[in-house]
Amino acid sequence: MRKIIIDCDPGHDDIMAVFTALAHAEELEILGITTVSGNQTLAKVTANILKVQDYFGLHIPVCMGYDSPIIKPREVQPAAHGESGMDGPVLPDPVSKPQPEHALDYLRRTLETEDKVTLVALAPLTNIALFLKTYPHLAGKIECIAMMGGAVNGGNIQKKSEFNIWQDPEAAAIVFASGVPVVMAGLEVCNAGSILLSEAEEFRHGGKVSKFCYDLMKFYGLYAVNRGWDRTPIFDITPVIWLLYPELFKAEQMDVDIELNGEFTRGMTVCTPTTGRPHTVLLDTDREAFIGVFLAALKKLDQIYA
Ligand code: RIB
Ligand code: CA
């Protein structure tokens, strides 16, 4: 059993990452969820996870973190996730509330108590970077940071940078230089594990969780539909599936440095053959096997959350 804390900015794919972890309760114990601004403001992304928890009767503690990057001004992404941050499904305003403590206090308290915790980072790394800066003596309690972000050679928000890193590159620089092992699921491996839009269409015939994911994908998939693509990556499920089935991935130990100053490359993850730093960069996966894990997770949750 691996104990995890999910740091996220829900976010259609963040929600589907939480579902994937939920479906594997024997392997992954979700201790809590921390939220950070990214896809949308802190208030909106927090409301989204609370709405989903209310809808499915979930009670995972949610603690709010930072509402802006360390240096760079916040730039939310309505084009990809809508004004709400989770456009598509229609859910009532949340009844449940976040925990009263700040994400950093929650992380400190939890890591002081637990032996080892894995951080699943699915958003800009602001919370995790500032936690490591504030409580460096607790870094050793972090088994690894399994994160979605970066790219070996590419970008989605800019030519050479991926959104989670680009949104707070100073935070990423702190995290990758902290000495805590990072497993980086960048754009290449996420794209390799893309879901076919035809596979997502089948969610409409499933149970409550699948139908909810159908509504998520109807909006989230528009980015691909509008570009004539037949598939789309569900980015944030990737680090969760690595935690469950690492054998599904091609990976290399690499140094990862973050470009902070380039006019065209700020937020770039510079991945080079390792000089002994502990990072694992995921490079490729078998699409059918990878997506099969997600599809099986939805089917299992359809039985549980009917
Ligand atoms: O670039 C993809 C990442 O940015 C994902 O985590 C998505 O949720 C957005 O946060
Ligand atoms: Ca995210």
Side-chain angles (χ1 to χ4, degrees):
M1 172 72 79
R2 184 188 289 258
K3 296 185 176 185
I4 67 172
I5 294 172
I6 300 174
D7 188 72
C8 55
D9 59 341
H12 299 72
D13 53 331
D14 303 71
I15 295 295
M16 289 186 273
V18 172
F19 286 158
T20 307
L22 265 179
H24 293 86
E26 310 79 43
E27 298 101 320
L28 301 175
E29 180 185 355
I30 306 175
L31 297 178
I33 291 172
T34 52
T35 55
V36 63
S37 68
N39 288 322
Q40 263 298 345
T41 63
L42 179 64
K44 289 183 177 180
V45 301
T46 303
N48 289 335
I49 186 64
L50 294 172
K51 287 178 187 177
V52 170
Q53 293 220 85
D54 290 351
Y55 184 56
F56 291 102
L58 301 171
H59 303 285
I60 305 167
V62 174
C63 295
M64 299 171 72
Y66 287 88
D67 198 10
S68 63
I70 296 174
I71 301 289
K72 177 185 165 297
R74 182 182 71 201
E75 295 180 66
V76 295
Q77 298 300 311
H81 297 274
E83 277 308 316
S84 73
M86 194 176 67
D87 280 18
V90 179
L91 294 177
D93 288 343
V95 172
S96 54
K97 301 279 185 227
Q99 300 298 306
E101 66 185 332
H102 188 279
L104 261 59
D105 294 324
Y106 169 73
L107 287 166
R108 173 190 51 74
R109 184 170 56 80
T110 307
L111 290 175
E112 282 173 347
T113 312
E114 299 293 343
D115 290 334
K116 282 282 185 184
V117 175
T118 293
L119 301 185
V120 179
L122 308 177
L125 292 163
T126 316
N127 288 344
I128 296 174
L130 292 177
F131 172 75
L132 289 168
K133 274 290 182 194
T134 310
Y135 303 106
H137 66 289
L138 293 173
K141 290 291 199 74
I142 303 171
E143 188 142 26
C144 78
I145 299 169
M147 55 87 69
M148 191 279 137
V152 175
N153 180 21
N156 59 358
I157 190 75
Q158 295 205 331
K159 289 178 184 173
K160 297 299 255 185
S161 49
E162 176 280 328
F163 174 74
N164 285 339
I165 306 297
W166 171 85
Q167 176 78 305
D168 196 342
E170 281 72 21
I174 291 166
V175 169
F176 278 94
S178 69
V180 176
V182 176
V183 177
M184 180 182 122
L187 294 178
E188 290 85 3
V189 68
C190 293
N191 290 331
S194 289
I195 189 168
L196 300 178
L197 298 179
S198 56
E199 290 168 330
E201 193 63 25
E202 292 307 302
F203 295 168
R204 68 195 309 177
H205 303 302
K208 184 175 180 179
V209 175
S210 290
K211 284 186 167 70
F212 183 76
C213 287
Y214 175 78
D215 291 340
L216 286 174
M217 289 301 299
K218 268 299 158 207
F219 183 89
Y220 180 78
L222 282 177
Y223 192 87
V225 169
N226 293 339
R227 288 158 179 77
W229 303 345
D230 70 346
R231 64 193 67 196
T232 186
I234 306 177
F235 297 101
D236 288 343
I237 66 174
T238 311
V240 176
I241 294 177
W242 179 85
L243 290 172
L244 296 162
Y245 302 98
E247 68 277 13
L248 293 183
F249 296 85
K250 177 175 175 245
E252 275 183 36
Q253 293 299 105
M254 301 182 92
D255 281 1
V256 182
D257 297 292
I258 310 299
E259 175 56 58
L260 298 176
N261 302 305
E263 181 182 351
F264 304 106
T265 55
R266 177 164 158 78
M268 177 179 176
T269 45
V270 181
C271 303
T272 50
T274 186
T275 57
R277 286 208 214 155
H279 305 316
T280 302
V281 177
L282 306 184
L283 299 171
D284 199 1
T285 187
D286 174 287
R287 193 201 77 82
E288 279 69 27
F290 174 90
I291 278 298
V293 173
F294 177 61
L295 300 180
L298 294 192
K299 283 193 169 49
K300 182 171 181 182
L301 294 178
D302 282 342
Q303 302 303 314
I304 301 169
Y305 299 99

